[in-house]
Amino acid sequence: MKTVKVVAAVICDSIKDKNKIFAAARGYGEFKGGWEFPGGKIEEGETPQQALKREIKEELDAEVAVYDLIKTIEYDYPTFHLSMDCFWCEVKEGHLTLKEAEAAKWLTVDTLDSVEWLPADLGLIDEIRKAMGSGKEVNHNMKNRMQTVKK
């Protein structure tokens, strides 16, 4: 089975807080309408980070800063094996403008399940949920501690 090596950007509103992440609905091909993280194929001679910057510029007309690798997803579709390096990203310059996707939205930890993710991208949702939820847990714990102190 042929392996396709790609990169995906989990673009967040703030790399520090991660309150919202950007998701797009594919505008073409076999998986048209399925929700995914933007990105694409790594071209020969490119690092995954270079490929991601190029793909986001082509697909969304914006420049992103690429941060940590979240996870590499390995997924078998019926006709090919997908190996997808997924990175945290943040918009550095420009505005996200849809050039290939048919729709897009910013999702919060509470709305992550509101779209129909493509199977490979779905494998990333738990990791994202943990990263987005961790700040809320800290705030919740801090609030509980403060209430304890007040009593």
Side-chain angles (χ1 to χ4, degrees):
M1 186 180 290
K2 178 179 144 184
T3 294
V4 178
K5 185 83 174 132
V6 301
V7 287
V10 179
I11 301 170
C12 48
D13 59 333
S14 158
I15 199 68
K16 182 178 168 263
D17 299 326
K18 297 179 182 74
N19 293 313
K20 293 187 271 185
I21 55 129
F22 186 79
R26 280 183 77 87
Y28 60 91
E30 183 182 348
F31 302 105
K32 184 179 184 326
W35 288 82
E36 65 180 355
F37 297 103
K41 291 181 184 171
I42 300 171
E43 292 181 359
E44 196 170 323
E46 282 184 320
T47 66
Q49 293 86 344
Q50 290 168 332
L52 203 46
K53 287 180 179 192
R54 176 187 49 76
E55 285 286 349
I56 298 306
K57 187 67 176 163
E58 289 173 8
E59 291 181 18
L60 297 168
D61 201 27
E63 189 179 328
V64 292
V66 180
Y67 295 95
D68 296 339
L69 175 71
I70 302 168
K71 183 178 190 175
T72 299
I73 302 284
E74 302 290 342
Y75 189 84
D76 287 326
Y77 280 100
T79 57
F80 64 95
H81 175 79
L82 183 75
S83 180
M84 180 169 64
D85 290 339
C86 306
F87 291 88
W88 288 112
C89 294
E90 187 177 42
V91 176
K92 197 164 118 180
E93 195 173 299
H95 299 282
L96 299 174
T97 305
L98 301 185
K99 294 171 96 177
E100 295 182 12
E102 65 180 32
K105 54 173 83 172
W106 288 94
L107 302 172
T108 64
V109 69
D110 297 325
T111 59
L112 281 173
D113 298 323
S114 68
V115 298
E116 206 158 309
W117 294 103
L118 291 175
D121 294 76
L122 189 57
L124 196 55
I125 299 303
D126 283 344
E127 298 289 327
I128 292 169
R129 191 182 320 279
K130 285 178 201 163
M132 291 176 80
S134 63
K136 289 173 181 53
E137 290 164 18
V138 170
N139 292 340
H140 181 71
N141 290 340
M142 189 65 88
K143 196 184 289 182
N144 287 344
R145 273 190 240 130
M146 289 178 76
Q147 287 173 345
T148 306
V149 171
K150 287 179 183 177
K151 289 180 182 176

